[in-house]
Amino acid sequence: MKTEKRRLRRTFSPLTVATSMICHTGSSSPFTQVYDAETQSYEPDRGGTSSGVGSPCMVRPIIELNADDGSMVNARGNQFLANMKWYVNGVDITTIQAWTDCYAIRNTNDSLKGTLTVYKNIPVGERCELTFEGVINDPRTNLNIPVTAGPIVLRTTDKSKDQWSLSICVDPALEYDPIRDQLHLYHYMVAHGQIVHTDAAEEAADDDTSYRQAIPIEVRRGTTLQNSGYTLELYRVNASTGALTQISTSDLNEVISMSLTQLNIDLRLIEKEEYVLIAKHGTTEVARQSFGMKRHNGDYQLTPVNAAGVAPSDVNRIDVLQGRYEGNVLDHPACAIKILWKTQAVGSNTVNTQNEGETTEYNLGQAGLGLDYTTAEIDQWVESEVKGKHLIAKESASDGGKVYCDENNVPFIFN
């Protein structure tokens, strides 16, 4: 008896890594401190050393992993980090004497691994740019992949006792990527009957890619954080003239709501805008903050799956697209990308639009494919573009300006 053994080994698609960096939500200290020269104190006071009892700043790298074959989809990869290093202005933090005993790096194998906790007060005028480097150990292949995140900047402003200040706790040049928006994708899948809505699933999809942008607002008088005694006004900046137009939160626009401590904006209704937020004490302006928001449209690829020829018995053509975006698979590209299927019979000058969406089915004869060699070829392709900003569904002013709403009186929007 002769026996032949063959060892089979599973292969995996290469791992793609996306990184970002945030001020951890559990942190009691933002990136920017305020220094009161009169009392020689910091607000918040980070404690000075890792043994102190102050309010440390916690900076967390976010590592997202993906693979084309589905073996690792949207997995948070912090737990796989190794060889973690933090740098201050390009210098390894472990080699900087001024930072000795003023930081800690989390080494627990969980979603917060790699978090830098800062116990150091930053002197006025000093700029500390933080960057992160590490290695991800791919648990499927045991290969090491270098990762980087950042930079973010720690700084301190000098405010006198009675001087007001206004700041927002997000990047003042915020970018929204509709293709990466997990909440928008969730609503798309619910609307098309692919999944069933649950509050828990919607909450899970409402992450840092979401079109729902909550912007925390901090107003201080000297070093003291305020939550009353002032009003806020939001203005849109005219890109051509620089003129300011006040935005009323009661009008139909991108502003969902605004309080004294938070601004909520629907980023789907924005292409590119510049804003000014003004704080007033009584009728007097005491502080202002400029910020901008725009869409980010990265590189995507759409590839038809059905590359086979046409058999003599074929009547209809059926095809579906595979999508990729910045190295990751797009499960539902039509959520954010307008896709038109086109055909043109060889020898004909007529281009036909068959349909819109991720799939197509059309009659070959009606598309111009004939029965002999002179008319037996047809070109098929797709034309696509990222969908623009959403618009509120309403009639023109000349037709009465009626706004179309759902049963809860929430306006419909479309793109």
Side-chain angles (χ1 to χ4, degrees):
M1 178 180 293
K2 186 177 180 181
T3 301
E4 180 179 345
K5 289 185 178 180
R6 177 175 296 175
R7 177 169 293 175
L8 302 179
R9 182 179 181 87
R10 183 177 180 182
T11 59
F12 296 94
S13 295
L15 194 65
T16 58
V17 182
T19 64
S20 58
M21 198 137 66
I22 65 170
C23 186
H24 179 50
T25 53
S27 176
S28 55
S29 175
F31 294 149
T32 301
Q33 293 176 278
V34 178
Y35 178 71
D36 187 346
E38 183 177 338
T39 61
Q40 297 185 342
S41 62
Y42 289 86
E43 176 61 35
D45 186 350
R46 294 182 180 142
T49 67
S50 58
S51 60
V53 292
S55 302
C57 177
M58 300 169 64
V59 186
R60 175 162 64 102
I62 299 177
I63 313 298
E64 296 180 336
L65 307 179
N66 210 321
D68 288 352
D69 59 9
S71 57
M72 184 170 289
V73 179
N74 294 328
R76 288 295 169 90
N78 289 60
Q79 60 183 315
F80 305 118
L81 280 169
N83 300 337
M84 299 175 294
K85 290 186 178 181
W86 281 92
Y87 295 86
V88 181
N89 298 328
V91 180
D92 188 338
I93 196 172
T94 63
T95 67
I96 305 175
Q97 185 175 358
W99 281 79
T100 301
D101 201 31
C102 293
Y103 68 92
I105 300 174
R106 186 177 179 88
N107 198 34
T108 305
N109 290 329
D110 57 18
S111 62
L112 302 182
K113 188 174 183 179
T115 296
L116 176 71
T117 302
V118 177
Y119 300 93
K120 179 178 175 61
N121 292 320
I122 307 301
V124 174
E126 185 173 321
R127 184 180 185 274
C128 296
E129 183 177 275
L130 299 179
T131 52
F132 173 81
E133 291 184 1
V135 171
I136 287 290
N137 180 260
D138 186 343
R140 310 163 310 151
T141 62
N142 202 34
L143 296 177
N144 289 328
I145 303 172
V147 296
T148 60
I152 61 96
V153 177
L154 302 182
R155 56 166 60 92
T156 298
T157 58
D158 187 3
K159 298 296 181 182
S160 64
K161 182 176 181 180
D162 294 324
Q163 187 173 358
W164 293 79
S165 64
L166 168 64
S167 61
I168 59 173
C169 301
V170 296
D171 188 337
L174 183 70
E175 288 193 350
Y176 167 63
D177 191 334
I179 299 180
R180 293 186 67 242
D181 187 340
Q182 294 300 302
L183 183 61
H184 184 41
L185 176 61
Y186 167 80
H187 290 315
Y188 176 88
M189 295 175 68
V190 171
H192 286 75
Q194 298 172 7
I195 57 175
V196 177
H197 167 76
T198 66
D199 291 341
E202 181 173 7
E203 183 178 353
D206 195 1
D207 58 14
D208 54 1
T209 67
S210 168
Y211 62 83
R212 293 177 185 165
Q213 182 64 46
I215 303 175
I217 301 169
E218 289 189 354
V219 177
R220 296 178 182 272
R221 194 168 189 178
T223 60
T224 305
L225 185 65
Q226 306 291 306
N227 56 23
S228 63
Y230 63 93
T231 57
L232 291 175
E233 296 176 357
L234 181 65
Y235 292 83
R236 184 179 288 110
V237 181
N238 185 294
S240 300
T241 66
L244 302 182
T245 302
Q246 186 171 359
I247 300 175
S248 172
T249 55
S250 61
D251 292 338
L252 296 174
N253 51 46
E254 65 270 28
V255 178
I256 301 171
S257 63
M258 185 170 71
S259 68
L260 293 178
T261 57
Q262 184 164 292
L263 172 64
N264 295 296
I265 288 186
D266 187 338
L267 298 179
R268 294 175 299 178
L269 294 165
I270 295 174
E271 191 71 41
K272 181 179 180 181
E273 295 288 354
E274 297 291 330
Y275 301 93
V276 174
L277 186 64
I278 294 177
K280 287 187 174 181
H281 180 54
T283 59
T284 303
E285 178 185 333
V286 292
R288 67 169 55 195
Q289 171 72 55
S290 299
F291 61 99
M293 297 184 181
K294 66 178 181 179
R295 289 194 165 212
H296 169 78
N297 294 328
D299 182 41
Y300 68 88
Q301 299 85 38
L302 301 175
T303 305
V305 172
N306 187 0
V310 179
S313 60
D314 288 347
V315 176
N316 289 342
R317 175 73 171 184
I318 300 174
D319 213 337
V320 62
L321 288 176
Q322 285 184 341
R324 294 176 60 87
Y325 182 63
E326 296 184 344
N328 295 322
V329 173
L330 280 178
D331 292 329
H332 298 286
C335 175
I337 301 172
K338 182 176 181 180
I339 304 166
L340 297 177
W341 293 83
K342 303 278 187 174
T343 60
Q344 183 177 13
V346 173
S348 169
N349 294 323
T350 302
V351 175
N352 295 309
T353 300
Q354 298 300 340
N355 64 288
E356 178 178 348
E358 300 164 8
T359 63
T360 189
E361 181 176 359
Y362 57 90
N363 182 280
L364 289 165
Q366 292 178 356
L369 190 67
L371 299 176
D372 57 51
Y373 76 94
T374 62
T375 58
E377 292 183 324
I378 191 170
D379 292 326
Q380 172 189 289
W381 69 95
V382 293
E383 294 179 357
S384 65
E385 62 179 354
V386 178
K387 296 177 182 178
K389 70 176 184 178
H390 284 65
L391 301 172
I392 295 171
K394 62 179 180 179
E395 296 177 343
S396 64
S398 59
D399 291 330
K402 177 184 176 181
V403 178
Y404 294 94
C405 303
D406 63 14
E407 66 275 9
N408 298 316
N409 205 35
V410 176
F412 288 113
I413 64 173
F414 66 96
N415 67 347

